[in-house]
Amino acid sequence: MNTPKPDIQARLQALREVYAKQLPPKLQSLVKMWETLSESNWNWDIASELYRELHTLAGSASTFGFPEIGQQASIAEHMIKIWVTEHRVPETGPRQQFGSTLKQLSAEQVPVRCAPVSDIAPTPFADTKKDNEQHLIYIVDSDEIFSNELGVHLNQFDYRVHICKNSGELDAAMAGEEAAAIIISVALAESELAGAVLAQGIKSRYGSQFPIIFVSNHSDFESRLHAVRAGGDAYFVKPFDIAPLVDRLDQLTKNEQQDPYRILVVDDDQSLANHYSLLLQEAGMSVTTLSEPQNIFPAMADACPELILMDVFMPRCSGLELAKLIRQQDNYLGIPIVFLSSETNQKKQFMAMRMGADDFLTKPITSAHLISSVSIRVERSRILNTLMVKDSLTGLLKHTKIKEQLAIEVSRASRKHNPLCFVMLDIDHFKSVNDNYGHMVGDRVIKSLARLLQQQLRKTDFIGRYGGEEFAIVLPDCPLEQATQVINRVREDFSALCFSHNRQEFTVTVSAGIASFAQYHTPEDINYAADEALYAAKNNGRNCVKKAEGNKEIIQ
Amino acid sequence: MDSHELQRILYVEDEPDIRAVAQIALEVVGGFILNVTASGEEALTTAEAFAPDLILLDVMMPGMDGPSTLLALREIPGLANTAAMFMTAKAQPQEIEHFKSLGAIDVIAKPFDPMTLSDQVRAIWQQHRG
C-alpha cells in the first residue's frame, strides 16, 4: 500500500474543522424543516428533502469524527425513510418521537459529547499470572495423548494441571490438593459413561464446590443429558478449540472477579427504591436509583445499566409508558426491563409485556426471588451482548467496536484530563505460520495472543481484533511509559510461548506501535500515529515496541 | 479478466464535504487518479474522455441519483463494462443485492474512514479481478 503523506492528517483536520463549524446551523435547519413540514399539512417535497438531509448526515458525521450525531441521524433517517417510501403520513406517536429525536440531535454538543459509559477508576496492571498459578486443574481421561496435549495448552494459559487416567487416580489426587476445576471425559476405559458416574460421585461427596467440565466424543442429546444430570458445568465435544474452554475455566474458577451487574431501579417512592437498591447491592450488584422518570435518559447514559427494574405506577409517567419510551430508542432495544408491581391481574401483566417488559415481578417479593430474577436476565443479556460485539475467533472486540471505544475513551480522557494510550499490535511473519503449518495452527496462534492480552491487561482496557493478525488496544488512564512496559511484557511473554504442530515446535513474535493522547488529540490522529509506529517497529526488524514520535508528525 | 491495475476512478458525489474528504482519501492516501464530479449530469459529460477503470457513485443525489447515473454511463460504449461501486449509508442486505443487480461489483458503507477507504476500494477491485 502507499504510505500516507504527512500532510494528510492536517488536511483532514482542516476539513473536519470546517464540517464542525457547519454542523450546528445544519442541525438547526433540520429542526426548522421539520417544523415547516409539521405545519404544512405534510408536504412530501419537504419530507423528501428532510429524508435526504438526514441520510447525508448519517453517512458523513462519523467520517468527520461525530459518531453520536451520525447515529442519531441514522435513527431519524430510518423513521422518515419508511414514511417517504411508503408515502404514509405518520401518526402522532411516531411523529412526536421523530421530533424529539431531531431536537436531541440539534442539542448535541459539537464537538461530540462523551458516549455513555460509566467512569471507572484506574486500576493497576495486576500480575495476573500469579493469580492463576494457584489454580490446579485435574484432567481425567483414559486417552493420555489427549490429556497431555490439553495439559500443555492449559499450562500456556497459566493453569497447573494434574492428569489422572481413571477414578482411582483422581480419588488419590483429590485427597491431596484441592482442584479449582475438574475436566472429565464422559467415557473412560471402564465404561462409556464412567466419567459421568465419577462426576456424580464427586458432586455428592464434595457438593458443587468443584466445577466440572465434561469432554466427550459425542454431541448427541443422550450424552449431553447424562452430563447435565451428573452436574456438569460445561460440555465440550472433541476436538474443540482451546480458547472457549479456557474462557469457561476462567469464569468457573474466578467467578468473584466478574464485573458487578449494573442495575437501574426506577421508583417514584424514593424509600422503596432505596430498599430494592440495598437488596441488590448486598448481592454484589452495582445499583443506581431514579425517582423521577423524566430523567431516565441522562440516568441511563450515566449508569449504563444492564437491566432496569421499574415500578408500574408512577405519578408523572407510568412504568408502561416509560418502558415504551425506552424501547423506542434503537440502542436501548436490548436492555432487559423488569416490572415490579402489586398488580396481579394477568391481563394487565401481559399488557406490560407488550409494552416491552421482559418480566413481571409481584410485590411483595422475597429478596432471593428478586436477586435471582435479576441475575438470570443480566447474565443472559451479557452473553447475547458478547455475541454481538465480539470477534468469534478470539472473543475480542470487533474492528468497529474497538474504534468506537477509542473515540469514547479519547473524549473521556480529554474531559477528565487523564492519560490514554492506543496500541496497534501485529503478529510478525504471520503468513509464513499459515503457509508452514496451516490455517488451523494460524488460528491457534491468534487465539493464544488474544488470551495472553486478556490475561495481562486490565479489565478496564479494551482489546480488539483489528483485522487478520492485527490487534488494537485502548489503555485508559495509562501514560506512555507504562503502556510501553506493559506491551513489552506481552511481547516478551508471547515470544516465549511454544507452539507445536506435527512434532515441530516453533515460536512467534509480535511488533507493536503505541501512541499517547498526550501527543495526539483525536481518535483519528492517535490511530494513525499508532499505525505509523507499528510500521516503524516492523521496519526496525520486528519483535519490538515503538512509541509514536509525538508532535513532530502533527501539523496544525 | 486482465490484470490491469486500478488507477483511474470516476467519482460522483453531490455532498461537498464528503467529496473533499474522499478526494484526499483516494488521491493523496490512495494515490489514485481521480475525476471528481458533483452530479450525474456532470459525470456524463466527462466520463468518456476520462476513461475510468472504476466508477464510484454516491447513491442518493438530487437530480440523477447514483443508479440512474450508472445506467446512463453504461450507454457510453467505452463504459459499458467498467467496474462500478456505490457508496451509501446503512444499506440493507436486500438493497445491496439490488445495487449489485444494477451492475455494481460492491457497495461501500458510509460513513467511511478516510484512512482506509483506498484500501477498501482496492481490496474490492482485486477480489473482483481475482
Side-chain angles (χ1 to χ4, degrees):
Chain A
M1 74 162 260
N2 296 294
T3 310
K5 292 174 191 159
D7 68 342
I8 294 168
Q9 285 303 324
R11 287 176 66 178
L12 288 175
Q13 183 59 36
L15 288 173
R16 218 173 276 141
E17 278 163 20
V18 172
Y19 186 87
K21 234 176 249 163
Q22 294 168 350
L23 208 42
K26 161 83 79 192
L27 297 175
Q28 287 308 322
S29 81
L30 293 180
V31 175
K32 282 246 170 59
M33 219 184 274
W34 169 245
E35 283 164 2
T36 323
L37 177 62
S38 308
E39 288 156 13
S40 73
N41 208 8
W42 210 265
N43 174 325
W44 285 110
D45 289 340
I46 302 177
S48 305
E49 197 188 336
L50 184 55
Y51 166 40
R52 238 182 51 73
E53 292 285 348
L54 282 168
H55 178 85
T56 304
L57 192 60
S60 64
S62 286
T63 298
F64 291 98
F66 305 101
E68 291 206 342
I69 291 177
Q71 244 165 33
Q72 289 283 342
S74 154
I75 292 170
E77 180 212 344
H78 197 70
M79 293 174 75
I80 196 169
K81 177 184 180 177
I82 296 168
W83 305 332
V84 170
T85 49
E86 293 177 5
H87 225 267
R88 178 160 59 83
V89 179
E91 285 162 23
T92 323
R95 232 190 236 224
Q96 276 170 358
Q97 194 201 339
F98 182 83
S100 70
T101 306
L102 272 194
K103 282 238 172 64
Q104 217 174 315
L105 188 59
S106 67
E108 203 78 52
Q109 295 296 314
V110 179
V112 70
R113 154 170 78 76
C114 178
V117 171
S118 58
D119 289 313
I120 305 157
T123 27
F125 288 94
D127 201 346
T128 40
K129 279 196 143 175
K130 295 233 169 67
D131 294 348
N132 270 353
E133 258 159 15
Q134 293 149 4
H135 290 309
L136 172 65
I137 311 294
Y138 288 133
I139 302 177
V140 191
D141 199 319
S142 316
D143 179 352
E144 273 187 88
I145 299 172
F146 168 82
S147 300
N148 285 330
E149 201 177 316
L150 180 59
V152 169
H153 281 304
L154 292 180
N155 284 153
Q156 286 185 342
F157 292 109
D158 301 311
Y159 282 102
R160 282 186 304 130
V161 168
H162 183 93
I163 294 170
C164 310
K165 285 193 290 296
N166 51 47
S167 56
E169 286 188 19
L170 179 67
D171 281 340
M174 297 274 282
E177 197 178 347
E178 238 179 52
I182 307 172
I183 300 175
I184 303 183
S185 169
V186 176
L188 295 175
E190 291 108 296
S191 82
E192 272 299 298
L193 291 170
V197 174
L198 177 59
Q200 219 154 11
I202 293 166
K203 286 271 174 183
S204 66
R205 227 175 316 150
Y206 298 95
S208 51
Q209 58 171 313
F210 302 116
I212 292 179
I213 296 179
F214 279 110
V215 292
S216 169
N217 289 317
H218 306 289
S219 80
D220 58 292
F221 183 78
E222 280 297 312
S223 309
R224 284 175 180 270
L225 185 61
H226 277 295
V228 167
R229 286 189 178 152
D233 294 285
Y235 190 99
F236 289 85
V237 179
K238 297 182 193 175
F240 50 81
D241 284 336
I242 190 74
L245 177 78
V246 172
D247 273 346
R248 199 71 186 106
L249 266 183
D250 283 355
Q251 281 166 15
L252 290 170
T253 56
K254 290 184 285 187
N255 257 343
E256 74 282 2
Q257 280 190 15
Q258 249 195 12
D259 284 338
Y261 294 160
R262 296 185 304 275
I263 314 296
L264 176 67
V265 177
V266 187
D267 199 316
D268 61 301
D269 182 341
Q270 183 72 54
S271 60
L272 213 53
N274 288 342
H275 168 72
Y276 293 128
S277 162
L278 216 62
L279 286 181
L280 296 173
Q281 276 172 356
E282 271 172 15
M285 301 183 203
S286 150
V287 186
T288 312
T289 60
L290 176 72
S291 51
E292 285 140 349
Q294 66 268 31
N295 293 333
I296 185 78
F297 290 119
M300 286 182 73
D302 272 352
C304 223
E306 294 170 289
L307 179 141
I308 303 173
L309 189 66
M310 198 186 284
D311 185 21
V312 173
F313 298 104
M314 290 184 285
R316 241 189 97 122
C317 151
S318 83
L320 302 186
E321 291 168 330
L322 197 56
K324 202 168 174 186
L325 213 96
I326 292 167
R327 286 285 184 250
Q328 284 175 351
Q329 303 255 336
D330 271 0
N331 40 346
Y332 293 137
L333 211 55
I335 190 166
I337 300 176
V338 175
F339 278 121
L340 253 179
S341 162
S342 43
E343 180 61 68
T344 49
N345 182 334
Q346 275 214 331
K347 238 172 143 181
K348 287 197 178 161
Q349 292 194 358
F350 283 132
M351 172 83 168
M353 302 282 213
R354 199 168 302 130
M355 292 294 190
D358 292 275
D359 204 351
F360 209 103
L361 302 177
T362 313
K363 293 186 206 171
I365 185 170
T366 65
S367 64
H369 187 174
L370 177 69
I371 288 162
S372 63
S373 300
V374 166
S375 312
I376 290 164
R377 296 222 165 261
V378 177
E379 193 183 337
R380 192 166 304 153
S381 120
R382 278 192 178 179
I383 293 170
L384 284 175
N385 197 36
T386 302
L387 289 175
M388 269 162 21
V389 304
K390 293 196 172 167
D391 172 59
S392 58
L393 181 72
T394 58
L396 301 181
L397 297 177
K398 290 177 179 165
H399 180 104
T400 47
K401 193 70 197 164
I402 188 77
K403 287 188 83 165
E404 249 174 68
Q405 205 61 48
L406 174 63
I408 290 168
E409 292 305 321
V410 163
S411 62
R412 193 207 305 283
S414 69
R415 212 161 30 104
K416 304 235 156 192
H417 306 290
N418 280 343
L420 168 90
C421 282
F422 183 67
V423 185
M424 294 289 295
L425 191 147
D426 191 89
I427 301 176
D428 297 328
H429 300 298
F430 183 70
K431 196 176 169 301
S432 72
V433 173
N434 275 337
D435 291 349
N436 292 337
Y437 309 103
H439 287 275
M440 299 271 277
V441 178
D443 281 356
R444 215 164 74 210
V445 170
I446 286 176
K447 281 188 263 192
S448 303
L449 176 55
R451 293 282 321 155
L452 188 70
L453 286 167
Q454 283 171 324
Q455 282 181 343
Q456 301 216 341
L457 302 181
R458 303 162 301 179
K459 272 229 149 92
T460 46
D461 298 326
F462 299 93
I463 314 167
R465 182 164 176 225
Y466 211 66
E469 68 274 20
E470 200 172 18
F471 296 74
I473 303 153
V474 183
L475 301 169
D477 300 306
C478 180
L480 187 57
E481 285 313 314
Q482 196 187 358
T484 313
Q485 274 172 22
V486 168
I487 298 301
N488 245 320
R489 194 175 79 190
V490 169
R491 181 187 61 76
E492 280 167 14
D493 287 359
F494 186 69
S495 68
L497 281 185
C498 193
F499 296 94
S500 66
H501 180 65
N502 291 341
R503 299 210 190 132
Q504 265 182 289
E505 295 202 332
F506 64 97
T507 57
V508 185
T509 61
V510 296
S511 301
I514 309 182
S516 114
F517 175 65
Q519 277 133 1
Y520 303 91
H521 307 305
T522 68
E524 294 77 15
D525 289 346
I526 294 186
N527 196 334
Y528 177 72
D531 217 19
E532 289 287 287
L534 172 60
Y535 273 110
K538 291 277 182 187
N539 289 332
N540 195 45
R542 299 182 167 83
N543 192 15
C544 62
V545 176
K546 286 274 171 204
K547 291 177 266 191
E549 295 287 320
N551 294 325
K552 195 160 108 180
E553 287 173 32
I554 280 248
I555 302 158
Q556 286 287 12
Chain B
M1 291 278 165
D2 61 5
S3 60
H4 188 66
E5 213 192 305
L6 176 57
Q7 285 181 328
R8 304 171 72 82
I9 301 179
L10 171 64
Y11 176 51
V12 196
E13 163 73 63
D14 65 303
E15 200 57 41
D17 320 315
I18 290 291
R19 215 161 50 221
V21 173
Q23 188 164 4
I24 295 179
L26 295 168
E27 270 183 353
V28 189
V29 182
F32 296 117
I33 301 163
L34 215 57
N35 180 16
V36 184
T37 56
S39 68
E41 291 82 351
E42 191 188 335
L44 283 172
T45 60
T46 59
E48 193 170 13
F50 180 67
D53 302 319
L54 173 73
I55 303 164
L56 190 58
L57 303 129
D58 181 30
V59 170
M60 205 184 283
M61 296 186 286
M64 283 177 86
D65 66 2
S68 41
T69 305
L70 181 59
L71 288 179
L73 287 170
R74 290 284 187 229
E75 302 284 308
I76 299 171
L79 302 177
N81 295 310
T82 306
M85 296 179 201
F86 283 114
M87 293 179 83
T88 187
K90 216 182 181 182
Q92 307 286 326
Q94 68 268 26
E95 290 178 286
I96 293 179
E97 281 318 304
H98 171 65
F99 293 136
K100 285 188 178 171
S101 74
L102 296 174
I105 57 176
D106 211 337
V107 177
I108 292 178
K110 282 184 183 178
F112 58 83
D113 177 346
M115 299 314 292
T116 59
L117 178 65
S118 288
D119 291 340
Q120 205 183 344
V121 168
R122 202 173 272 123
I124 296 172
W125 169 268
Q126 271 159 6
Q127 207 176 2
H128 171 63
R129 291 272 142 173

